[in-house]
Amino acid sequence: KAGVTQTPRYLIKTRGQQVTLSCSPISGHRSVSWYQQTPGQGLQFLFEYFSETQRNKGNFPGRFSGRQFSNSRSEMNVSTLELGDSALYLCASSLEGTGYEQYFGPGTRLTVT
Amino acid sequence: GQSLEQPSEVTAVEGAIVQINCTYQTSGFYGLSWYQQHDGGAPTFLSYNALDGLEETGRFSSFLSRSDSYGYLLLQELQMKDSASYFCAVRDSGGFKTIFGAGTRLFVKA
C-alpha cells in the first residue's frame, strides 16, 4: 500500500499570504490528523478528521482551518501568514480513528518570510 | 489537562541497552504509543500499550504501568541507526486528539 502523501513538500510564502496544504491518507484509512512541528514546541495537534467531520481542533487561531473530503483526502489552510507559522506540517492517517497507531506523511516544510 | 514528560536527551553506546521513560498525566487514559523520528524524516509508529506489561517487537520493547502513569521504551542491541528522536503519545480524554511528549533525542556512540 502507498503511504501517506503530502503536497507540496516545500513552500515559501510571504507574510500576509495564505497557503493550502494537501494530504492523501493510506488507502482505507478514514481518519486524518494534522500537526505542526517546530524545534521548540515539538508536535502540536492542529485538527483531527474522521469521515469528513472535524472531531477536534487544537489550540490554534482561527487562521488555521481544514477539511476532509469524501475520499478521506484532507486539506489545511492557513490565512494571513505570520513569521511564526514557519514549521513542518505533518499529516497522519489511521484506520478507524482510534489514533493509537498513526502513519505520518513526509510533511510540508513551510517557510514564511 | 494532559501532559507527558520524557527526558530531553539520552546517550548510549552501540550494542548497549537504553530505556526512555515517559510519565503522563491525563484525565482519561486510552493507552500509550511510541514513535521514532529521524532527522529530516517523519515520525514512524513503534508500539502501543493499552494494558499493563511489556510488549516486545524485535529489538524494541515498550512497557506500561497504568497505576504509576508511567511507561518506557526499551531499545536493545543499539545500532547507530537508532540515533533519532523518540516520542511518547496519548489520546486525550475525549479520544479525538493525540498529545505528544516533547521527545527524547537518543545519541548512539560507537
Side-chain angles (χ1 to χ4, degrees), chain A residues 33 35 37 42-43 45 48 55-59 88 90 97-106, chain B residues 30-31 33 35 37 40-45 47-48 87 91-92 95-102:
Chain A
S33 297
Y35 299 89
Q37 186 173 32
L43 278 151
F45 173 82
E48 179 169 310
R55 300 204 291 190
N56 208 338
K57 182 176 179 181
N59 189 24
L88 180 67
L90 291 160
T98 56
Y100 311 139
E101 184 173 339
Q102 296 187 36
Y103 293 86
F104 283 80
Chain B
Y30 301 88
S33 301
Y35 292 82
Q37 185 179 28
T44 56
F45 173 79
S47 67
Y48 169 67
F87 297 88
R91 294 289 273 176
D92 81 332
F96 301 139
K97 174 179 177 179
T98 301
I99 309 298
F100 283 80

Side-chain angles (χ1 to χ4, degrees), chain A residues 26-113:
Chain A
I26 291 172
S27 178
H29 284 196
R30 298 164 64 191
S31 178
V32 172
S33 297
W34 287 89
Y35 299 89
Q36 181 194 65
Q37 186 173 32
T38 56
Q41 297 295 320
L43 278 151
Q44 300 295 310
F45 173 82
L46 280 159
F47 328 96
E48 179 169 310
Y49 290 90
F50 183 79
S51 293
E52 302 180 67
T53 300
Q54 184 181 94
R55 300 204 291 190
N56 208 338
K57 182 176 179 181
N59 189 24
F60 280 83
R63 301 184 295 106
F64 291 79
S65 62
R67 59 179 175 169
Q68 186 181 34
F69 301 95
S70 59
N71 62 359
S72 294
R73 192 177 69 85
S74 178
E75 289 181 348
M76 67 164 281
N77 185 276
V78 187
S79 63
T80 319
L81 283 166
E82 300 177 359
L83 294 178
D85 298 333
S86 294
L88 180 67
Y89 290 88
L90 291 160
C91 157
S93 74
S94 61
L95 185 57
E96 285 297 332
T98 56
Y100 311 139
E101 184 173 339
Q102 296 187 36
Y103 293 86
F104 283 80
T108 295
R109 173 74 63 182
L110 173 65
T111 301
V112 182
T113 62

Side-chain angles (χ1 to χ4, degrees), chain B residues 43-59:
Chain B
T44 56
F45 173 79
L46 291 176
S47 67
Y48 169 67
N49 293 66
L51 302 175
D52 287 359
L54 191 69
E55 296 277 345
E56 298 182 60
T57 309
R59 295 188 297 112

